[in-house]
Every structure is written in C-alpha cells, then in structure tokens.
Short mmCIF file of all heavy atoms in Angstrom, two decimals:
data_model
loop_
_atom_site.label_atom_id
_atom_site.label_comp_id
_atom_site.label_asym_id
_atom_site.label_seq_id
_atom_site.Cartn_x
_atom_site.Cartn_y
_atom_site.Cartn_z
N THR A 1 -4.23 12.01 3.41
CA THR A 1 -3.95 11.07 4.41
C THR A 1 -5.14 10.26 4.71
O THR A 1 -5.07 8.96 4.85
CB THR A 1 -3.46 11.70 5.69
OG1 THR A 1 -2.15 12.38 5.48
CG2 THR A 1 -3.14 10.66 6.82
N MET A 2 -6.31 10.87 4.92
CA MET A 2 -7.55 10.05 5.17
C MET A 2 -7.87 9.18 4.07
O MET A 2 -8.31 8.09 4.21
CB MET A 2 -8.69 11.11 5.46
CG MET A 2 -8.51 11.74 6.79
SD MET A 2 -10.15 12.74 7.33
CE MET A 2 -10.02 14.04 6.14
N ALA A 3 -7.73 9.72 2.67
CA ALA A 3 -8.01 8.92 1.57
C ALA A 3 -7.16 7.63 1.39
O ALA A 3 -7.72 6.57 1.23
CB ALA A 3 -7.89 9.76 0.35
N PHE A 4 -5.86 7.76 1.69
CA PHE A 4 -4.97 6.71 1.65
C PHE A 4 -5.35 5.70 2.82
O PHE A 4 -5.33 4.55 2.63
CB PHE A 4 -3.54 7.16 1.78
CG PHE A 4 -2.92 7.44 0.57
CD1 PHE A 4 -2.53 8.81 0.18
CD2 PHE A 4 -2.62 6.48 -0.42
CE1 PHE A 4 -2.00 9.16 -1.06
CE2 PHE A 4 -2.11 6.78 -1.61
CZ PHE A 4 -1.64 8.07 -1.96
N LYS A 5 -5.64 6.25 3.98
CA LYS A 5 -5.93 5.23 5.05
C LYS A 5 -7.24 4.51 4.76
O LYS A 5 -7.26 3.33 4.98
CB LYS A 5 -6.12 6.14 6.36
CG LYS A 5 -6.32 5.19 7.59
CD LYS A 5 -6.36 6.13 8.82
CE LYS A 5 -6.45 5.21 10.08
NZ LYS A 5 -7.50 4.32 10.12
N LYS A 6 -8.15 5.21 4.07
CA LYS A 6 -9.38 4.50 3.84
C LYS A 6 -9.18 3.43 2.76
O LYS A 6 -9.66 2.34 2.86
CB LYS A 6 -10.39 5.54 3.20
CG LYS A 6 -11.78 5.04 2.91
CD LYS A 6 -12.68 6.10 2.57
CE LYS A 6 -14.26 5.63 2.45
NZ LYS A 6 -14.43 4.70 1.27
N MET A 7 -8.37 3.67 1.73
CA MET A 7 -8.01 2.78 0.70
C MET A 7 -7.26 1.59 1.31
O MET A 7 -7.58 0.29 1.00
CB MET A 7 -7.32 3.33 -0.32
CG MET A 7 -8.05 4.24 -1.27
SD MET A 7 -7.14 4.85 -2.65
CE MET A 7 -5.96 6.02 -1.98
N ALA A 8 -6.36 1.79 2.23
CA ALA A 8 -5.70 0.75 2.93
C ALA A 8 -6.57 -0.16 3.72
O ALA A 8 -6.48 -1.42 3.68
CB ALA A 8 -4.54 1.30 3.74
N ASP A 9 -7.54 0.43 4.44
CA ASP A 9 -8.41 -0.27 5.31
C ASP A 9 -9.32 -1.12 4.33
O ASP A 9 -9.67 -2.27 4.75
CB ASP A 9 -9.28 0.66 6.14
CG ASP A 9 -8.55 1.40 7.16
OD1 ASP A 9 -7.45 0.93 7.49
OD2 ASP A 9 -9.06 2.40 7.68
N GLU A 10 -9.75 -0.65 3.23
CA GLU A 10 -10.61 -1.35 2.41
C GLU A 10 -9.92 -2.40 1.65
O GLU A 10 -10.61 -3.42 1.05
CB GLU A 10 -11.32 -0.44 1.43
CG GLU A 10 -12.29 0.53 2.05
CD GLU A 10 -12.83 1.62 1.01
OE1 GLU A 10 -12.29 1.74 -0.19
OE2 GLU A 10 -13.78 2.30 1.40
N SER A 11 -8.58 -2.33 1.48
CA SER A 11 -7.83 -3.33 0.80
C SER A 11 -7.76 -4.76 1.47
O SER A 11 -7.61 -5.78 0.87
CB SER A 11 -6.47 -2.87 0.51
OG SER A 11 -5.67 -2.87 1.75
N GLY A 12 -8.00 -4.57 2.85
CA GLY A 12 -7.90 -5.84 3.66
C GLY A 12 -6.42 -6.15 4.16
O GLY A 12 -6.18 -7.09 4.88
N GLU A 13 -5.45 -5.32 3.59
CA GLU A 13 -4.12 -5.50 3.96
C GLU A 13 -3.76 -4.63 5.09
O GLU A 13 -4.48 -3.50 5.34
CB GLU A 13 -3.15 -5.27 2.77
CG GLU A 13 -3.32 -6.21 1.60
CD GLU A 13 -2.37 -5.82 0.47
OE1 GLU A 13 -2.66 -4.82 -0.19
OE2 GLU A 13 -1.42 -6.60 0.25
N ASN A 14 -2.70 -4.83 5.94
CA ASN A 14 -2.25 -3.83 6.81
C ASN A 14 -1.56 -2.60 5.99
O ASN A 14 -1.26 -2.83 4.81
CB ASN A 14 -1.15 -4.44 7.96
CG ASN A 14 0.00 -4.90 7.25
OD1 ASN A 14 0.79 -4.19 6.51
ND2 ASN A 14 0.56 -6.02 7.65
N GLN A 15 -1.28 -1.60 6.68
CA GLN A 15 -0.89 -0.30 5.86
C GLN A 15 0.36 -0.59 5.11
O GLN A 15 0.49 -0.21 4.06
CB GLN A 15 -0.67 0.77 6.89
CG GLN A 15 -1.97 1.61 7.21
CD GLN A 15 -1.62 2.74 7.98
OE1 GLN A 15 -0.58 3.32 8.08
NE2 GLN A 15 -2.71 3.43 8.58
N ASN A 16 1.32 -1.24 5.78
CA ASN A 16 2.69 -1.39 5.16
C ASN A 16 2.54 -2.31 4.00
O ASN A 16 3.11 -1.90 2.94
CB ASN A 16 3.61 -2.02 6.15
CG ASN A 16 3.96 -1.02 7.29
OD1 ASN A 16 3.85 0.16 7.10
ND2 ASN A 16 4.38 -1.60 8.38
N ASP A 17 1.80 -3.42 4.05
CA ASP A 17 1.63 -4.33 2.84
C ASP A 17 0.81 -3.56 1.79
O ASP A 17 1.14 -3.83 0.61
CB ASP A 17 0.90 -5.62 3.38
CG ASP A 17 1.76 -6.53 4.15
OD1 ASP A 17 2.88 -6.29 4.12
OD2 ASP A 17 1.19 -7.39 4.87
N TYR A 18 -0.04 -2.70 2.07
CA TYR A 18 -0.75 -2.10 1.16
C TYR A 18 0.13 -1.16 0.38
O TYR A 18 0.09 -1.00 -0.85
CB TYR A 18 -1.88 -1.31 1.78
CG TYR A 18 -2.58 -0.29 0.83
CD1 TYR A 18 -3.61 -0.78 -0.16
CD2 TYR A 18 -2.37 1.06 0.82
CE1 TYR A 18 -4.02 0.12 -1.10
CE2 TYR A 18 -2.86 1.97 -0.05
CZ TYR A 18 -3.81 1.46 -0.92
OH TYR A 18 -4.36 2.38 -1.90
N LEU A 19 1.10 -0.38 1.11
CA LEU A 19 2.00 0.56 0.52
C LEU A 19 2.96 -0.19 -0.34
O LEU A 19 3.26 0.30 -1.50
CB LEU A 19 2.68 1.37 1.55
CG LEU A 19 1.82 2.39 2.40
CD1 LEU A 19 2.56 3.07 3.39
CD2 LEU A 19 0.98 3.44 1.46
N PHE A 20 3.44 -1.31 0.09
CA PHE A 20 4.38 -2.18 -0.70
C PHE A 20 3.66 -2.54 -1.97
O PHE A 20 4.42 -2.60 -3.07
CB PHE A 20 4.90 -3.37 0.05
CG PHE A 20 5.71 -2.91 1.28
CD1 PHE A 20 5.81 -3.77 2.45
CD2 PHE A 20 6.38 -1.72 1.43
CE1 PHE A 20 6.60 -3.40 3.49
CE2 PHE A 20 7.09 -1.32 2.45
CZ PHE A 20 7.30 -2.17 3.61
N SER A 21 2.51 -2.98 -1.89
CA SER A 21 1.80 -3.47 -3.05
C SER A 21 1.55 -2.26 -4.07
O SER A 21 1.76 -2.50 -5.35
CB SER A 21 0.36 -3.96 -2.73
OG SER A 21 0.49 -5.18 -1.89
N LEU A 22 1.23 -1.10 -3.50
CA LEU A 22 1.11 0.02 -4.33
C LEU A 22 2.45 0.38 -5.05
O LEU A 22 2.41 0.60 -6.30
CB LEU A 22 0.73 1.24 -3.44
CG LEU A 22 0.23 2.44 -4.17
CD1 LEU A 22 -1.04 2.29 -5.05
CD2 LEU A 22 -0.09 3.51 -3.02
N LEU A 23 3.51 0.36 -4.39
CA LEU A 23 4.80 0.65 -4.98
C LEU A 23 5.18 -0.34 -6.06
O LEU A 23 5.76 -0.05 -7.11
CB LEU A 23 5.84 0.64 -3.90
CG LEU A 23 5.89 2.04 -2.99
CD1 LEU A 23 6.99 1.81 -1.93
CD2 LEU A 23 6.14 3.20 -3.82
N GLU A 24 4.87 -1.73 -5.82
CA GLU A 24 5.17 -2.74 -6.80
C GLU A 24 4.39 -2.46 -8.03
O GLU A 24 4.80 -2.72 -9.11
CB GLU A 24 4.99 -4.10 -6.04
CG GLU A 24 5.36 -5.26 -7.05
CD GLU A 24 5.10 -6.54 -6.47
OE1 GLU A 24 4.66 -6.70 -5.30
OE2 GLU A 24 5.57 -7.55 -7.02
N MET A 25 3.10 -2.12 -7.80
CA MET A 25 2.29 -1.91 -8.97
C MET A 25 2.73 -0.69 -9.80
O MET A 25 2.77 -0.78 -11.08
CB MET A 25 0.78 -1.68 -8.49
CG MET A 25 -0.21 -1.35 -9.62
SD MET A 25 -1.96 -1.16 -8.90
CE MET A 25 -1.66 0.47 -8.19
N ILE A 26 3.22 0.36 -9.19
CA ILE A 26 3.66 1.55 -9.83
C ILE A 26 5.01 1.33 -10.59
O ILE A 26 5.27 1.71 -11.71
CB ILE A 26 3.84 2.73 -8.87
CG1 ILE A 26 2.50 3.09 -8.33
CG2 ILE A 26 4.46 3.92 -9.50
CD1 ILE A 26 2.42 4.17 -7.21
N THR A 27 5.97 0.62 -9.92
CA THR A 27 7.30 0.53 -10.46
C THR A 27 7.58 -0.80 -11.06
O THR A 27 8.60 -0.93 -11.79
CB THR A 27 8.25 0.66 -9.36
OG1 THR A 27 8.19 -0.44 -8.35
CG2 THR A 27 8.07 2.01 -8.57
N GLY A 28 6.72 -1.81 -10.84
CA GLY A 28 7.08 -3.17 -11.25
C GLY A 28 8.11 -3.93 -10.59
O GLY A 28 8.61 -5.09 -10.98
N LYS A 29 8.51 -3.31 -9.45
CA LYS A 29 9.54 -3.95 -8.72
C LYS A 29 9.13 -3.98 -7.15
O LYS A 29 8.66 -3.12 -6.64
CB LYS A 29 10.70 -3.03 -8.78
CG LYS A 29 11.97 -3.56 -7.78
CD LYS A 29 13.11 -2.46 -7.95
CE LYS A 29 14.28 -2.82 -6.90
NZ LYS A 29 15.21 -1.76 -6.92
N LYS A 30 9.26 -5.19 -6.61
CA LYS A 30 8.83 -5.37 -5.27
C LYS A 30 9.79 -4.76 -4.20
O LYS A 30 11.03 -5.04 -4.36
CB LYS A 30 8.72 -6.91 -4.95
CG LYS A 30 8.07 -7.21 -3.59
CD LYS A 30 7.83 -8.72 -3.51
CE LYS A 30 7.17 -9.06 -2.16
NZ LYS A 30 6.78 -10.54 -2.03
N PRO A 31 9.34 -3.93 -3.34
CA PRO A 31 10.33 -3.39 -2.36
C PRO A 31 10.95 -4.46 -1.50
O PRO A 31 10.32 -5.53 -1.08
CB PRO A 31 9.35 -2.60 -1.52
CG PRO A 31 8.11 -2.31 -2.31
CD PRO A 31 8.05 -3.63 -3.20
N GLY A 32 12.18 -4.21 -1.19
CA GLY A 32 12.95 -5.18 -0.30
C GLY A 32 13.10 -4.57 1.11
O GLY A 32 12.57 -3.46 1.39
N THR A 33 13.62 -5.26 1.93
CA THR A 33 13.90 -4.79 3.33
C THR A 33 14.72 -3.54 3.53
O THR A 33 14.48 -2.88 4.55
CB THR A 33 14.43 -5.93 4.22
OG1 THR A 33 15.78 -6.30 3.64
CG2 THR A 33 13.62 -7.24 4.26
#
C-alpha cells in the first residue's frame, strides 16, 4: 500500500487517475465510469 501510494504521489496524478492509467497500460483498454 505504501509503495503504490508513493508511486501515485510521484506520478503527479491523483490516486484514481493514476490507477486508471495503470489499468489502461496493463489491459490496453481505458476504464469507463
């Protein structure tokens, strides 16, 4: 949890946007609402 939080903080994005970017990078599909 601390490692993910640190990476999100360093990305300059808020946590949710960081996680969505991560999922899009992994799956090639952008998360929807």
